[in-house]
Amino acid sequence: MTVLETLPARHDHAPAYTARLGAARGDTVTLRLKTTLPVTQVQLKLLEHGEISEYPTTEIPPLDGEGRWFAFELPLIADRVRYAWSLITADDHLNLTMSGLHHTRRAYRDWFVYLSGYAAPTWTWSSVFYQIFPDRFRNGDPSVSVRNGEYEYAGAPVYQEVWTQPITREGDIHAHYGGDLPGVRAALPYLTDLGVNALWLTPIFVSPSNHRYDISDYRRVDPHLGGDAAFDELLHDAHAQGVRVVLDGVFNHVGSENDLFRKAFADVHAAERALFTWRPNHPVPYHAFFDVPTLPKLDYASEAAAREFLDGPDSVVRTWLRRGIDGWRLDVAQMLGAGGTDEGNLELHRRLKRAAREERADAYVFGERFFDAEEALRGDGEDAAMNYHGFGLPVMQWLSGRSLKFLPSRMDGHELVEILWDAYHVLPPEVALNQFNLLDSHDTPRALYRLGGSTVKLRAALTLLMGYAGVPCMYYGTEVGLSQSCEGAMPWCREPMPWDESQWDTALRADVQALVRIRRDTPALQRGALRFLHVESDAVAFTRTLTHADGRAERAVVIASRLEAHTLTLRLPDGAWCDARSGEVLHGIVALEAAGGRLLIQS
């Protein structure tokens, strides 16, 4: 059940309701509940060593002067403490969980959860990320670019493509446009002017292809991107300008030109042989990512593999955090495992995360989990997943009327809200705020193309992105209207960034800049709890509420329509609301233009 703003009981992760997050196991934390129901008693249900215990609560003066408030001192008896509230009236009783108010006891996945001792990388909550595919972003040093025929890879020579030349299937991995790290460094003023304050760079290590997910050497930055010196200069300047940098960790597979694999392939007695899984009677005699011969899969049944890449004293994970990066994005995180499978996947991610936190206490670790990631998001492994399942895919399907694979779809707003809430409500609150939200990426069709070139719908999508719970990330060029030439995902979604401003949609960029500013200036959008306010076939609206320890609430309303023009009538929560763009003040029942999205603020 989707929880609406009108629900007559409230408890969430904000300080008024949960005194503090991340307290240590063995400690206690004050929980509070607010209700307008005529309750005679409120109890707290605690999942305690496999049984459900019921405890009385204490009524307290209302922090905000409204309704009735109750408090309970929660004992942190485990790393994950699950609890619910029982509201008893003269003739009824109700259970309050993250799934709302119900007469029956809900499944444990619906209960509130407290993570003991979990320290979230809270800098991400106030960040707006920007994804850069280095070869296609900006050429800052032509002298380091790949030359025509410089080497052969996978049976064909590499070549340098003209920056303005459209993507072709033939150039999928061999066409190098020449983007590099000096180009990213030169673009930092552009990026900070846009308002972004965190970068995710797809792989930058030595690799033969343009995408660099086939890494030959994890210890060096590719010379064709400028090498280690260019990376150090970029990192220094980015940090000096308040921009964090996250790198792409490809730990499921290596490239076939990686020295570890070459030794293993050449000698059946080599020690490196254990790092891979072999299958002699198969056309590809080793397990590989989707059987692509140039992407041999690592076998984490070998402790040597885990120590080399994940958590050894000088592992790849540790090395680059020591070099100063702010975190890792983990490629195909769901596939890591032993014996050519995903066996042991979650434990491997726990090890990786522990190593990362030992090197940097606020390192951000998020995984590419394209599907339902609920089981991985318990707080002890990745901080977050790329939120395709719980945000990007359903939002884009609803807005475009087509699936990721361009199949027709009649999804309406009710179904959209149902899946958004289902994915959100099962997560520990810090993890929900950590989730890496995106509309498109180097692996998926460009948002503008999926939306049929409609910048009105793109603005609605970006409004949802900046307003939703989690960490927003834009794909390079979205802000100026970069699209693609034909249907599909890779390689078409990897067109080079246009730097000729005459090709920009400057009005779109200005609107994106404004949305980013609002996101970064509004604590409720960064840390607020989520509830839905309004839903119909073609429009949705939700609130983000941050209630402080003194009961004072900061709130935002996020509204989006999938139509080109849409006068939407809805009832706003009590009080005066200010349109964050126009300054218009609104109250009560309003009729407003929802096309392109609206952000309303109340503080």
Side-chain angles (χ1 to χ4, degrees):
M1 173 183 174
T2 302
V3 171
L4 299 176
E5 181 64 28
T6 53
L7 196 76
R10 187 173 198 107
H11 171 73
D12 59 42
H13 64 268
Y17 301 103
T18 303
R20 56 194 172 120
L21 298 173
R25 182 171 176 170
D27 207 342
T28 60
V29 172
T30 302
L31 303 180
R32 303 182 189 93
L33 172 140
K34 173 186 176 180
T35 183
T36 55
L37 292 171
V39 294
T40 58
Q41 185 181 168
V42 173
Q43 296 179 332
L44 186 126
K45 295 182 176 182
L46 176 63
L47 181 58
E48 193 168 17
H49 313 307
E51 290 287 338
I52 297 176
S53 302
E54 296 181 349
Y55 293 96
T57 65
T58 302
E59 186 163 7
I60 61 173
L63 297 188
D64 61 356
E66 300 176 354
R68 295 173 65 189
W69 287 66
F70 297 83
F72 179 78
E73 294 298 317
L74 180 72
L76 301 182
I77 57 176
D79 292 337
R80 290 167 54 87
V81 182
R82 288 199 177 274
Y83 62 94
W85 301 85
S86 178
L87 285 69
I88 302 167
T89 66
D91 60 356
D92 202 0
H93 75 279
L94 293 165
N95 296 282
L96 177 67
T97 66
M98 280 292 290
S99 192
L101 284 168
H102 294 89
H103 290 97
T104 56
R105 186 174 63 235
R106 302 292 292 185
Y108 290 140
R109 75 186 291 268
D110 290 342
W111 287 35
F112 298 101
V113 61
Y114 190 97
L115 292 183
S116 305
Y118 175 68
T122 55
W123 61 267
T124 64
W125 301 352
S126 56
S127 296
V128 174
F129 269 80
Y130 190 90
Q131 182 198 352
I132 291 177
F133 189 91
D135 183 62
R136 307 294 160 82
F137 185 61
R138 183 163 175 162
N139 188 326
D141 184 357
S143 71
V144 302
S145 298
V146 167
R147 301 186 307 276
N148 289 329
E150 182 176 339
Y151 56 87
E152 287 198 359
Y153 178 53
V158 297
Y159 60 95
Q160 184 179 136
E161 187 56 275
V162 176
W163 193 263
T164 55
Q165 184 68 28
I167 297 288
T168 65
R169 175 64 70 187
E170 294 72 27
D172 186 4
I173 63 174
H174 294 92
H176 292 252
Y177 280 75
D180 51 31
L181 298 187
V184 179
R185 182 183 176 213
L188 285 173
Y190 168 88
L191 295 168
T192 54
D193 177 68
L194 185 63
V196 299
N197 59 347
L199 303 179
W200 157 34
L201 305 179
T202 58
I204 64 171
F205 306 123
V206 178
S207 307
S209 71
N210 56 44
H211 58 69
R212 295 184 171 85
Y213 283 94
D214 46 359
I215 298 172
S216 302
D217 186 348
Y218 287 76
R219 308 285 176 168
R220 291 192 300 132
V221 174
D222 197 319
H224 290 117
L225 293 179
D228 285 5
F231 170 77
D232 290 339
E233 291 170 350
L234 168 62
L235 193 65
H236 174 273
D237 286 8
H239 284 167
Q241 296 179 50
V243 177
R244 304 269 191 157
V245 178
V246 168
L247 295 186
D248 208 314
V250 188
F251 303 133
N252 174 69
H253 52 270
V254 300
S256 56
E257 297 191 0
N258 188 286
D259 194 47
L260 294 172
F261 179 73
R262 284 185 162 184
K263 290 178 179 178
F265 191 76
D267 182 1
V268 296
H269 302 295
E272 292 81 1
R273 191 87 173 170
L275 274 63
F276 305 92
T277 308
W278 304 90
R279 44 184 187 179
N281 298 320
H282 194 278
V284 180
Y286 44 87
H287 279 284
F289 175 72
F290 284 99
D291 287 337
V292 177
T294 56
L295 302 175
K297 181 176 170 63
L298 289 162
D299 186 352
Y300 285 99
S302 165
E303 181 63 18
R307 293 181 66 77
E308 169 69 18
F309 292 95
L310 308 184
D311 65 352
D314 296 303
S315 68
V316 175
V317 166
R318 292 184 187 275
T319 294
W320 290 97
L321 286 165
R322 290 171 188 164
R323 290 279 296 269
I325 69 169
D326 297 282
W328 284 104
R329 178 264 187 185
L330 307 176
D331 186 52
V332 290
Q334 76 274 6
M335 298 182 76
L336 269 70
T341 73
D342 65 346
E343 181 182 345
N345 179 271
L346 298 183
E347 178 55 30
L348 289 168
H349 284 288
R350 293 183 191 106
R351 292 177 61 174
L352 188 160
K353 163 81 163 303
R354 282 195 295 268
R357 287 290 211 273
E358 287 169 3
E359 298 300 329
R360 187 183 185 99
D362 64 351
Y364 181 37
V365 179
F366 65 98
E368 180 196 19
R369 293 184 181 268
F370 212 83
F371 314 102
D372 180 7
E374 180 180 337
E375 286 302 309
L377 298 175
R378 297 170 53 88
D380 51 356
E382 299 119 285
D383 293 301
M386 295 179 70
N387 202 11
Y388 286 114
H389 170 74
F391 180 78
L393 294 183
V395 163
M396 289 301 297
Q397 184 167 330
W398 173 68
L399 285 168
S400 68
R402 295 190 292 176
S403 74
L404 178 68
K405 297 183 178 180
F406 295 92
L407 297 174
S409 172
R410 293 186 176 182
M411 174 192 282
D412 66 8
H414 297 278
E415 186 176 353
L416 170 66
V417 166
E418 180 183 359
I419 192 169
L420 292 179
W421 186 261
D422 182 73
Y424 169 81
H425 90 281
V426 298
L427 298 179
E430 304 100 312
V431 175
L433 295 176
N434 295 341
Q435 284 287 77
F436 195 80
N437 294 334
L438 67 170
L439 301 170
D440 51 3
S441 73
H442 68 295
D443 284 331
T444 65
R446 284 219 169 242
L448 185 57
Y449 185 84
R450 288 189 68 186
L451 297 173
S454 170
T455 57
V456 174
K457 292 184 179 181
L458 181 60
R459 284 173 168 86
L462 290 163
T463 300
L464 292 172
L465 177 66
M466 294 300 159
Y468 200 68
V471 181
C473 178
M474 292 185 296
Y475 188 31
Y476 75 91
T478 295
E479 73 279 7
V480 296
L482 184 58
S483 188
Q484 60 188 64
S485 63
C486 61
E487 187 171 295
M490 302 173 287
W492 317 113
C493 58
R494 300 173 179 177
E495 291 285 357
M497 174 76 175
W499 289 102
D500 177 354
E501 294 186 27
S502 68
Q503 299 178 28
W504 292 0
D505 184 333
T506 54
L508 175 63
R509 187 183 184 278
D511 285 345
V512 172
Q513 189 180 45
L515 285 171
V516 172
R517 175 186 54 77
I518 294 165
R519 168 73 188 209
R520 291 190 56 189
D521 288 348
T522 309
L525 295 178
Q526 300 166 10
R527 304 193 301 276
L530 172 72
R531 282 192 175 184
F532 280 86
L533 177 66
H534 181 89
V535 57
E536 56 186 65
S537 180
D538 296 319
V540 298
F542 55 84
T543 61
R544 301 288 307 282
T545 304
L546 177 62
T547 313
H548 296 278
D550 60 2
R552 178 178 54 87
E554 297 183 55
R555 296 194 289 179
V557 168
V558 182
I559 304 166
S561 167
R562 62 177 174 180
L563 303 180
E564 295 289 329
H566 188 173
T567 300
L568 179 69
T569 300
L570 77 163
R571 178 185 290 277
L572 295 173
D574 291 344
W577 293 85
C578 179
D579 185 292
R581 292 291 307 279
S582 70
E584 179 185 5
V585 177
L586 303 165
H587 305 79
I589 298 175
V590 297
L592 48 74
E593 178 55 62
R598 300 286 290 270
L599 281 170
L600 311 179
I601 306 297
Q602 183 185 75
S603 60

